Amino acid sequence: MGIRKFTYIITTILLSITITAGVFSGCTKYGKGFLSPYMQYAVSEFGVVRGRTATSYSMITDGSSVPLRIKWTHVYDSLGHSADDLFNKQYPVGVWTAAYNPLTDTNFATISAKRTVQNLQPIVINEKSGTLEANSGTIYLPTGTYTMDMEVSNEAGTETLNRIMQIVIKDGKPLETSPETGAFSNSLLFANTPTGKGTLFNGANNPFDLVTVTRFADTPNVLILKVTDRNGVPFNPKAGEFAKRPNSGLNPQPPFLQNLQDYAPDTYVASDTAISIKYPLVPFPIVSLGNGFNMYYRIPAQYVHIDSTSSWSANTAGKYYAGSTDSHYLGVYKDNLYDYSLRIPMRIQVPGAYQINVRILNTTHR
């Protein structure tokens, strides 16, 4: 064998070894994964309204190897004292057991069949993403600011992330009406027709409707709506004194504008003084039937005296119509001319038993 041929063979063997080593080098794993000590949240404050569901951002893991196992280890109040017992305690929480279908799940019975109650911590953590999930059990937590420690682990080890998240527990309206859900509106209809005579007021700080909302028990989930005249005399739903408002147009579908009975047809009850429904979950209504969360009603002309007033296009908070002593007072409309129409916005955000009283200040029961 010549020297040139021998040199060629040796060179080829060395090149082959180099290439093979490079291929194996590219597939080699160094260590057992990676766990960053710099994991964090894009927004490190999680605001929770008591009794409502809420979800935080997920954790930014800074390239840490998956799968991750994330859990919270300690919670502290604003004074630095342990609040572990508060957040570890489990409370009854309604949960879905099957998918909700708004087209077919239209009453208490069908929705309740897809619901059950579980005992859960008020705030749980998704162990893979770090997302914090608040449920209705937060109604039992005191308001305030808390901080949370977390522990993250994977095949590379464990990291403790101290004070990584601040949780602010605050109060909101358990039942929202105006201005969160809409505005009260008062108007006149020509008697026994769906045709409007004119709007008395539509907007924020309605001067004609004095509204009180009372949450009087944690259970059952029930809503009572009572509508009275200026003197507190109730209009009687059972006798038709407080009724659905007809929709406009020829042969309209639906024939009436939306109301509570539409949202809870199998639990609706009309009594001498109020209407009531049972509802299966919050928020309720779950979805709108087409005009926000406004409920439309009318008081037929034969049951009401109605004050005539001058134009009242705007109003300030806390100022209400004062009857015959009010600067807007112009007397009383002739009886039997007009039905009184009322739009009531409402949506329940926290489970419980509620009563809404609406006192209409420019009406007197007949």
Side-chain angles (χ1 to χ4, degrees):
M1 180 184 297
I3 294 175
R4 180 175 298 176
K5 186 174 182 181
F6 177 79
T7 302
Y8 173 78
I9 293 171
I10 294 298
T11 302
T12 301
I13 293 172
L14 290 174
L15 181 60
S16 176
I17 292 172
T18 301
I19 293 173
T20 302
V23 170
F24 280 102
S25 173
C27 295
T28 299
K29 290 180 69 177
Y30 295 96
K32 294 184 177 179
F34 171 68
L35 185 61
S36 173
Y38 302 112
M39 291 175 284
Q40 59 184 320
Y41 288 88
V43 177
S44 59
E45 180 177 298
F46 180 34
V48 177
V49 178
R50 293 203 308 165
R52 302 191 194 181
T53 58
T55 303
S56 77
Y57 287 95
S58 57
M59 185 179 287
I60 299 173
T61 59
D62 191 33
S64 298
S65 302
V66 294
L68 295 172
R69 295 174 299 280
I70 306 171
K71 65 179 183 179
W72 69 263
T73 53
H74 297 290
V75 181
Y76 310 92
D77 65 18
S78 58
L79 299 176
H81 301 146
S82 173
D84 291 353
D85 289 346
L86 276 174
F87 284 76
N88 267 321
K89 187 173 180 180
Q90 295 186 340
Y91 304 94
V93 175
V95 296
W96 290 101
T97 58
Y100 167 69
N101 184 340
L103 299 178
T104 58
D105 300 334
T106 56
N107 57 43
F108 187 91
T110 56
I111 292 173
S112 296
K114 294 185 174 183
R115 301 276 293 175
T116 190
V117 175
Q118 294 182 2
N119 289 323
L120 299 174
Q121 294 174 338
I123 297 178
V124 297
I125 189 167
N126 185 305
E127 68 170 8
K128 297 183 183 300
S129 68
T131 301
L132 293 172
E133 300 165 356
N135 56 55
S136 60
T138 54
I139 191 67
Y140 301 104
L141 295 177
T143 58
T145 300
Y146 303 85
T147 51
M148 178 177 281
D149 295 345
M150 294 184 191
E151 181 182 281
V152 184
S153 58
N154 64 7
E155 62 180 351
T158 300
E159 285 286 345
T160 299
L161 306 173
N162 294 321
R163 306 300 201 274
I164 188 173
M165 177 61 79
Q166 180 170 276
I167 301 172
V168 180
I169 308 293
K170 52 193 174 183
D171 276 326
K173 288 185 177 179
L175 187 153
E176 294 180 340
T177 55
S178 177
E180 298 84 7
T181 303
F184 283 81
S185 178
N186 304 62
S187 59
L188 300 180
L189 305 175
F190 292 107
N192 301 311
T193 77
T195 306
K197 187 268 181 187
T199 299
L200 301 176
F201 194 89
N202 179 16
N205 307 314
N206 194 307
F208 298 123
D209 300 322
L210 187 57
V211 182
T212 58
V213 177
T214 304
R215 183 176 184 270
F216 59 89
D218 291 339
T219 58
N221 290 348
V222 64
L223 173 64
I224 300 167
L225 173 62
K226 182 178 182 179
V227 176
T228 74
D229 73 355
R230 74 171 102 235
N231 301 311
V233 178
F235 294 99
N236 184 336
K238 191 173 182 179
E241 295 179 1
F242 182 63
K244 300 176 183 180
R245 174 175 172 172
N247 206 347
S248 57
L250 295 175
N251 301 314
Q253 290 297 327
F256 297 94
L257 296 177
Q258 67 180 4
N259 54 80
L260 282 175
Q261 187 172 359
D262 295 329
Y263 285 100
D266 59 339
T267 68
Y268 174 85
V269 176
S271 73
D272 295 339
T273 59
I275 60 177
S276 67
I277 61 165
K278 288 197 303 180
Y279 63 95
L281 75 163
V282 291
F284 185 84
I286 307 170
V287 295
S288 170
L289 294 177
N291 195 7
F293 299 103
N294 295 304
M295 308 300 158
Y296 291 84
Y297 293 97
R298 71 185 177 102
I299 302 168
Q302 64 267 33
Y303 302 117
V304 63
H305 299 290
I306 305 169
D307 286 2
S308 172
T309 63
S310 61
S311 176
W312 197 323
S313 59
N315 190 32
T316 57
K319 184 177 181 181
Y320 292 97
Y321 175 68
S324 60
T325 63
D326 197 288
S327 60
H328 297 83
Y329 179 77
L330 296 178
V332 179
Y333 285 110
K334 185 178 178 181
D335 285 342
N336 302 318
L337 288 181
Y338 306 116
D339 294 345
Y340 195 101
S341 175
L342 181 65
R343 185 183 72 200
I344 305 173
M346 64 175 74
R347 197 179 193 203
I348 304 170
Q349 297 288 356
V350 176
Y354 294 86
Q355 178 159 333
I356 305 176
N357 290 342
V358 181
R359 189 157 64 126
I360 309 174
L361 300 178
N362 62 334
T363 67
T364 304
H365 187 281
R366 290 175 64 187

